[in-house]
């Protein structure tokens, strides 16, 4: 029998234990679960991020965590659970409100800031000399020249926010019926180099599987005790929302 260590299995166990709900159409990068919580005379939909780990271990954040993800997490509620191998029941669970997770979130954003500064500054430093070094010293460039640099980066991809083929759009010397016959100026070549640098830096502008230390969770979050996991979570949420309302508005 394989050890119980699949994130999806752990997530389902946490969702079930805490009586959270999941949208059937949710994407993998969206919330793990939600709870429609009555408070102050109206119902709020609280979005949850589930993190699990073996007993006594820290909690991973997943791959390619960038600033946008951290900003999204800043408004979300976290639940953390420890599991024993080959067991689909949480051993211990903690709840972390947005306020409880704020110190960790801000520290992670600060960790990324130098990389993000480079992402904004370096592409603008591309000049004629850099274009010649990367693509050759020419007055016009072929599709093959730019494609060797950019690969699929300028191809149309609606899922990535590129509805048009930029190899076609940017063909300023010759826009041919076949993309392979397009020709481009040095100005477009410079744009291509900048776009490639932005792409490469953006890939480095994320961090892979940074840890949320168990010590942080135990010191900042509220432990939810069994057997009434869901009822005790509701109590912890209610107290956290009350405390949130008492904080001065920033």
């Amino acid at each position: 029998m394989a050890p119980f260590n699949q994130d999806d299995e752990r997530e389902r166990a946490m969702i079930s234990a805490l009586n959270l709900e999941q949208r059937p159409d949710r994407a993998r990068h969206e919330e793990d679960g939600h709870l429609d919580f009555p408070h102050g005379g109206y119902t709020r939909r609280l979005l949850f991020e589930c993190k699990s780990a073996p007993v006594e271990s820290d909690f991973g954040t997943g791959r390619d965590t960038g600033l946008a993800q951290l900003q999204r997490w800043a408004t979300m509620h976290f639940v953390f659970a420890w599991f024993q191998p080959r067991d689909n029941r949480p051993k211990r669970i903690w709840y972390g409100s947005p306020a409880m997770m704020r110190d960790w979130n801000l520290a992670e954003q600060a960790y990324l800031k130098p990389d993000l500064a480079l992402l904004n500054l370096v592409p603008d430093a591309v000049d004629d000399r850099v274009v010649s070094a990367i693509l050759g010293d020419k007055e016009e460039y072929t599709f093959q020249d730019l494609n060797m640099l950019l690969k699929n980066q300028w191809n149309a991809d609606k899922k990535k926010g590129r509805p048009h083929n930029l190899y076609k759009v940017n063909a300023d010397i010759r826009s041919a019926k076949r993309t392979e016959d397009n020709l481009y100026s040095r100005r477009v070549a410079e744009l291509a180099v900048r776009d490639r640098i932005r792409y490469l830096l953006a890939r480095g502008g994320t961090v892979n599987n940074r840890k949320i230390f168990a010590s942080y969770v135990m010191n900042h979050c509220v432990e939810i005790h069994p057997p009434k996991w869901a009822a005790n979570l509701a109590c912890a949420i209610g107290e956290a929302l009350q405390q949130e309302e008492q904080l001065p508005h920033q």
Side-chain angles (χ1 to χ4, degrees):
M1 181 178 179
F4 178 80
N5 60 3
Q6 296 298 313
D7 286 345
D8 287 346
E9 294 178 53
R10 291 173 173 173
E11 181 182 296
R12 286 194 294 270
M14 295 167 71
I15 293 291
S16 177
L18 297 169
N19 202 25
L20 301 180
E21 297 182 46
Q22 288 184 315
R23 293 185 295 109
D25 61 340
R26 70 190 178 91
R28 189 165 186 84
H29 68 276
E30 295 179 316
E31 78 277 0
D32 294 325
H34 69 266
L35 181 64
D36 292 328
F37 191 80
H39 180 76
Y42 63 98
T43 299
R44 295 174 59 171
R45 173 159 290 191
L46 308 179
L47 304 183
F48 280 81
E49 182 75 17
C50 297
K51 298 296 182 187
S52 61
V55 171
E56 305 296 335
S57 298
D58 299 322
F59 300 90
T61 57
R63 296 179 57 192
D64 297 333
T65 301
L67 183 62
Q69 177 75 297
L70 290 167
Q71 290 172 339
R72 187 173 67 88
W73 277 344
T75 64
M76 293 179 68
H77 299 250
F78 279 67
V79 284
F80 301 91
W82 276 344
F83 287 86
Q84 293 282 11
R86 300 183 176 86
D87 192 350
N88 63 355
R89 294 167 300 176
K91 188 73 174 177
R92 296 177 72 177
I93 296 180
W94 293 265
Y95 161 70
S97 69
M100 296 171 192
M101 297 303 299
R102 185 171 295 128
D103 287 349
W104 169 80
N105 194 296
L106 292 176
E108 290 299 296
Q109 290 192 42
Y111 182 83
L112 281 174
K113 276 187 176 178
D115 292 343
L116 297 175
L118 284 174
L119 179 58
N120 291 325
L121 292 173
V122 170
D124 290 337
V126 171
D127 57 15
D128 200 62
R129 179 181 56 84
V130 174
V131 173
S132 295
I134 301 299
L135 293 174
D137 187 7
K138 298 187 285 187
E139 290 305 314
E140 60 183 45
Y141 297 85
T142 65
F143 164 80
Q144 290 74 21
D145 290 330
L146 269 58
N147 184 247
M148 184 68 71
L149 172 69
L150 293 164
K151 286 74 175 178
N152 291 325
Q153 189 180 336
W154 272 11
N155 287 339
D157 189 334
K158 291 183 179 179
K159 290 183 179 180
K160 295 182 179 179
R162 293 196 305 271
H164 305 293
N165 186 322
L166 297 182
Y167 287 112
K168 180 74 172 177
V169 172
N170 292 326
D172 58 344
I173 291 182
R174 182 170 72 203
S175 181
K177 288 184 178 181
R178 295 196 324 145
T179 303
E180 293 84 354
D181 296 328
N182 288 344
L183 290 176
Y184 308 87
S185 67
R186 286 187 71 86
R187 180 189 65 80
V188 172
E190 183 174 313
L191 173 65
V193 174
R194 287 180 176 175
D195 276 5
R196 191 60 180 175
I197 290 174
R198 286 192 182 93
Y199 170 78
L200 294 173
L201 284 171
R203 290 178 64 184
T206 62
V207 289
N208 285 323
N209 208 23
R210 291 273 292 173
K211 300 296 183 183
I212 304 175
F213 293 120
S215 58
Y216 183 95
V217 173
M218 297 174 78
N219 290 329
H220 291 76
C221 301
V222 175
E223 185 164 7
I224 307 300
H225 296 284
K228 296 182 179 180
W229 298 107
N232 290 333
L233 173 65
C235 290
I237 292 172
E239 291 177 6
L241 292 179
Q242 273 193 319
Q243 292 176 5
E244 179 185 289
E245 291 169 351
Q246 294 169 3
L247 292 174
H249 293 289
Q250 297 183 354

